[in-house]
Amino acid sequence: MLVGACNTVVDYGLFMLFFSLFNWDKNIAQIVSTMLAMANSYVINRYWTFHKTGHVKAREIGRFVIVNLLSLATTLLCLNLFHDVLYLHEGVNHLLKMLSVSFRLQGDFSVLFCKVLASPFSMLVNFLGNRFWVFASERTEKKES
């Protein structure tokens, strides 16, 4: 859980940098931030979370990339669904208005809010894929063969 949160902070920080400061499209910012955070995620997950030792196998790296691409697809799907289809930020704005709060989720803040909402979904895909497929125990791998 801690590693997932750490990787999410790295991804989110890079996303904010690319989207808010460099004014990149939200989808491009997400793709690049995910790709850069992937290396950090691999090292921490392999050696700390799942205690894998020995040589790195091409099969493991391939699986890791596939899981991260699925996680990226989940993030992009949720981000665009929440922001561009369901307009969840507008629902929050209506709630804030009803509560007489003057803050509104507009511009970059509306996208960043929807990114926060998308994160748990991609974290779940990433953790489950890493736990049960990428870094599965030797016993699990032998059953697959």
Side-chain angles (χ1 to χ4, degrees), residues 11-57:
D11 172 58
Y12 201 85
L14 291 170
F15 176 81
M16 285 177 41
L17 176 76
F18 299 140
F19 178 72
S20 294
L21 295 179
F22 296 163
N23 296 314
W24 290 7
D25 173 77
K26 69 181 179 298
N27 297 307
I28 300 298
Q30 184 57 58
I31 291 167
V32 175
S33 70
T34 296
M35 294 299 132
L36 292 173
M38 196 184 316
N40 175 62
S41 177
Y42 180 79
V43 170
I44 293 174
N45 275 310
R46 183 173 207 281
Y47 297 107
W48 190 42
T49 305
F50 301 111
H51 308 288
K52 295 289 280 189
T53 58
H55 296 291
V56 175
K57 299 174 185 169

Side-chain angles (χ1 to χ4, degrees), residues 3-4 7 9 16 29-30 32 43 66 75 83 85 88 90 94 96 98 106 109 111 115 121 126 130-131 136-137:
V3 173
N7 289 329
V9 168
M16 285 177 41
Q30 184 57 58
V32 175
V43 170
I66 291 169
T75 301
H83 188 268
V85 177
L88 293 183
E90 291 298 329
H94 289 298
L96 292 171
M98 286 175 28
Q106 298 172 340
F109 287 115
V111 173
K115 165 94 170 110
F121 297 97
N126 204 298
N130 283 322
R131 172 67 177 95
S137 68

Side-chain angles (χ1 to χ4, degrees), residues 66-91:
I66 291 169
V67 166
N68 276 272
L69 289 174
L70 288 171
S71 180
L72 171 61
T74 301
T75 301
L76 291 171
L77 174 71
C78 290
L79 176 61
N80 286 287
L81 178 68
F82 296 162
H83 188 268
D84 300 334
V85 177
L86 299 176
Y87 305 104
L88 293 183
H89 57 287
E90 291 298 329

